[in-house]
Amino acid sequence: MKPKVFIAKPIPKEVEEYIAQYCDYRMWEKTEQIPNEVLLEEVADVDGLLTPKGVITKKFLEKAPRLKVVSNIAVGYDTFDLEVMKEHRIVGTHTPYVLDEAVADLAFGLILDSSRRISEFNNLVKAGNWDKTKPETYFYGQDVHHATIGIIGMGRIGEKISRRAALGFEMNVLYHSHTRKPALEEQYGIEYRELDSLLESADIVVMMLPLTSETYHYMGAEQFNKMKSSAIFINCSRGQVVDETALIAALQEGKIRGAGLDVFEVEPIEKDNPLLTMDNVVVLPHIGSATDRTRFDMAMKAAENLVAGVTRGVPENVVPELRCLFEK
Ligand code: GLV
């Protein structure tokens, strides 16, 4: 008998066909997000779940007594309760590597947009407000090439951003991370800095940390105060690694020059969030990995992880905290 799995969002046909070779499956086919009560009914008798950022808690697992594998179609897995999953011996997997380049591209999109005020002036031109009365200096932004960039978090995506920054834009690249990366320092000439020193020196600060209990509100008022008043803040990781109230205050008080944000503490962002009214803030709807190719690759990688798990193999991308489940 094939293992049973539930697919909690529509996936490309080719990925569905791959899963069908190994599993009996049901799938949520609508584009809107699956309601939680439907999900709970669907997981009652399955061995595996393919999910976009599934929230896995003790309560959830009580409703899914057969569940063995949760395959996340995302690299971040901050929605997993890892202790509970360990206790229940649930294998959790994610999709590293396949999205690194796409997220690094988007980070650079935000860097360029915020520094050269692209969205701001796009809005101005489309609103019919490009006129000759404005002084030339009104349109000035900041150089990206040869600027100093400070990357907080030097994981796989941080590395791709460094590469673009060092080789493409000839930037001075500083980084802060819980481990030093001597090979990258050698390869791209990037320089490790303590956090305060990075914040004080960078023209552009890029947040690239995963969300954990240690990184929650990693950037707060104290850290924004250390940044240059001419600096730009970019976040493409998770909204909760930043104290958004402190970020808003820093922008309102001119403590930093602007921000480019793909992620927020509450998503979708609330309509009355002050960030939405600031011309010096670029906001995006969490699209770091959202390209045809990358999202296909993520779905296929997640399907491979799922199939390996439910057929009792070792999935390639078990999240680090749960690899102990495979240790003898
Ligand atoms: C996107 O946010 C991801 O974690 O893949």
Side-chain angles (χ1 to χ4, degrees), residues 126-140:
K126 286 189 174 169
N129 292 330
W130 182 16
D131 56 57
K132 294 277 182 199
T133 63
K134 292 191 174 55
E136 185 192 308
T137 51
Y138 181 86
F139 297 102
Y140 286 5

Side-chain angles (χ1 to χ4, degrees), residues 257-275:
R257 179 186 170 107
L261 307 168
D262 188 38
V263 291
F264 304 89
E265 285 214 57
V266 175
E267 294 180 5
I269 190 169
E270 287 158 320
K271 291 194 169 51
D272 61 351
N273 189 314
L275 292 168

Side-chain angles (χ1 to χ4, degrees), residues 53 73-76 95 99 237-238 286 289 298:
K53 304 198 188 114
I73 318 172
V75 69
T95 60
L99 46 59
S237 54
R238 283 290 183 271
H286 199 148
S289 63
M298 288 167 72

Side-chain angles (χ1 to χ4, degrees), residues 142 202-203 227-232 254-258:
Q142 302 267 81
D203 302 309
M227 285 175 63
K228 293 187 192 176
S229 57
S230 56
I232 276 164
K255 293 198 165 141
I256 62 173
R257 179 186 170 107

